């Protein structure tokens, strides 16, 4: 069950990351204009880089023993939503709609998720 669950989450997350990368490369430039356009594009790319990296990390979550795999997978997923989601929204709208504490908490959650690889399946 854990293997199927986290591979499915990784698939959805990875596919959405690719779609959002394409949007950022092709359609965002029509929405983002003005003196802060370069900064907003950079925010989008940062959010997308972390989104894809942690989508790939989700592929390895089934290698972690139970129940730690579920904790790690949840931390990666919630971290991506908090960090990358806030970066995407700030890039798109040009202002911090999501509280910066959520961005920070998302980054901490993604970092914490990596620690659970200390509990491999044997």
């Amino acid at each position: 069950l854990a293997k199927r669950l986290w591979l499915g989450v990784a698939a959805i997350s990875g596919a959405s990351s690719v779609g959002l990368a394409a949007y950022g490369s092709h359609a965002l430039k029509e929405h983002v204009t003005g003196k802060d356009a370069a900064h907003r594009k950079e925010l989008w790319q940062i959010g997308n880089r972390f989104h894809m990296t942690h989508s790939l990390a989700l592929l390895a979550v089934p290698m972690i023993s139970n129940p730690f795999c579920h904790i790690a997978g949840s931390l990666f997923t919630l971290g991506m939503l908090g960090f990358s989601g806030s970066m995407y929204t700030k890039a798109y709208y040009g202002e911090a709609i999501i509280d910066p504490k959520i961005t920070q908490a998302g980054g901490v959650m993604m970092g914490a998720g990596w620690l659970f690889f200390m509990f491999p399946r044997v």
Side-chain angles (χ1 to χ4, degrees), residues 11-64:
I12 292 167
S13 182
S16 66
S17 177
V18 170
L20 287 164
Y23 179 84
S25 294
H26 303 291
L28 185 65
K29 60 186 166 196
E30 296 171 12
H31 180 78
V32 175
T33 58
K35 63 182 179 181
D36 66 340
H39 176 66
R40 289 170 65 182
K41 289 176 186 175
E42 182 182 4
L43 290 175
W44 190 277
Q45 290 174 346
I46 292 167
N48 190 254
R49 188 175 319 118
F50 276 82
H51 185 176
M52 178 54 81
T53 301
H54 288 83
S55 296
L56 293 171
L58 283 170
L59 292 172
V61 164
M63 295 174 17
I64 303 169

